[in-house]
Amino acid sequence: LSFALSAFLSGRLNSLMLAYEKSSTKKDNVIVDGHLHRFDNQMLRRGNPDAKCYYDFNLGDTLTGKVEVVYDSLGHKSVPDSLRVKSDTVDMIIGCSFSKGPFVKGQDGYPYLVTKALNHRFMNASMGGYGLAQMQMRLDSLLPTHRFRYVFIQVSPWLSERSMSISSGIYTRGYP
């Protein structure tokens, strides 16, 4: 039953994402089925690995735009290869869309700017709609296999409420 419910919710949420997101491709694009995001085996929403595309957004009547999106090999928001800091030290940032920075280029978001100032590489494991439970699950899957110098954790009042929803975030409750 739990597998059937997970499969149903995954298909249902992926269908909702189709209506919510648009992507347009660019040269050497690696987008799967034209979508920016997918659900992993833990039902956590992530970017498609190694995806390079544009995210079109429309917030209200006046704020619209197009932002270049680059995901790393694990499906985390990143920066183009030419901007990556060359260092053996890696920091992790985890949170919701506030930490991910969906409406800014990776190189303009605080995860990159802070870790670049430290001369460290970064892994931005944040995703829109994440709550504390999703953040914990993501940490549990990454900490055993990666070594981080610092882990920056977003602390916001709505993150605990999102964790108690059957499917977290913007698809069920709207923006905080």
Side-chain angles (χ1 to χ4, degrees):
L1 178 61
S2 118
F3 175 76
L5 180 60
S6 292
F8 170 76
L9 287 176
S10 177
R12 191 84 174 116
L13 292 174
N14 279 318
S15 296
L16 287 170
M17 282 195 302
L18 292 177
Y20 179 73
E21 296 175 348
K22 292 172 158 182
S23 65
S24 56
T25 60
K26 67 187 240 195
K27 276 188 181 175
D28 302 322
N29 142 19
V30 195
I31 296 294
V32 178
D33 296 330
H35 304 112
L36 296 174
H37 302 102
R38 65 180 173 81
F39 285 94
D40 67 13
N41 60 359
Q42 293 182 309
M43 291 293 291
L44 293 175
R45 189 167 164 253
R46 265 200 269 175
N48 284 313
D50 297 317
K52 296 175 186 156
C53 60
Y54 288 93
Y55 179 67
D56 296 314
F57 63 90
N58 183 354
L59 301 172
D61 295 333
T62 57
L63 187 57
T64 61
K66 183 183 261 190
V67 175
E68 179 183 35
V69 179
V70 176
Y71 288 112
D72 66 16
S73 62
L74 295 175
H76 301 130
K77 188 168 181 182
S78 190
V79 295
D81 290 339
S82 62
L83 297 175
R84 291 193 180 150
V85 174
K86 294 180 182 14
S87 171
D88 292 335
T89 307
V90 182
D91 299 331
M92 176 202 252
I93 293 85
I94 186 93
C96 71
S97 59
F98 280 44
S99 295
K100 180 185 177 195
F103 306 119
V104 298
K105 292 180 182 178
Q107 59 266 33
D108 295 332
Y110 92 84
Y112 175 73
L113 295 173
V114 168
T115 57
K116 181 182 175 193
L118 295 169
N119 198 33
H120 297 172
R121 290 183 298 131
F122 78 105
M123 180 185 291
N124 186 355
S126 306
M127 181 56 69
Y130 271 16
L132 290 176
Q134 293 79 15
M135 291 164 56
Q136 180 66 52
M137 291 170 67
R138 199 71 197 111
L139 285 166
D140 288 345
S141 69
L142 291 169
L143 290 177
T145 57
H146 293 79
R147 298 201 65 167
F148 301 105
R149 176 74 181 263
Y150 300 110
V151 176
F152 297 90
I153 301 173
Q154 177 185 336
V155 179
S156 300
W158 56 85
L159 295 175
S160 59
E161 183 180 316
R162 281 185 178 170
S163 297
M164 294 181 268
S165 169
I166 190 164
S167 63
S168 78
I170 57 176
Y171 302 113
T172 57
R173 297 184 177 263
Y175 286 103

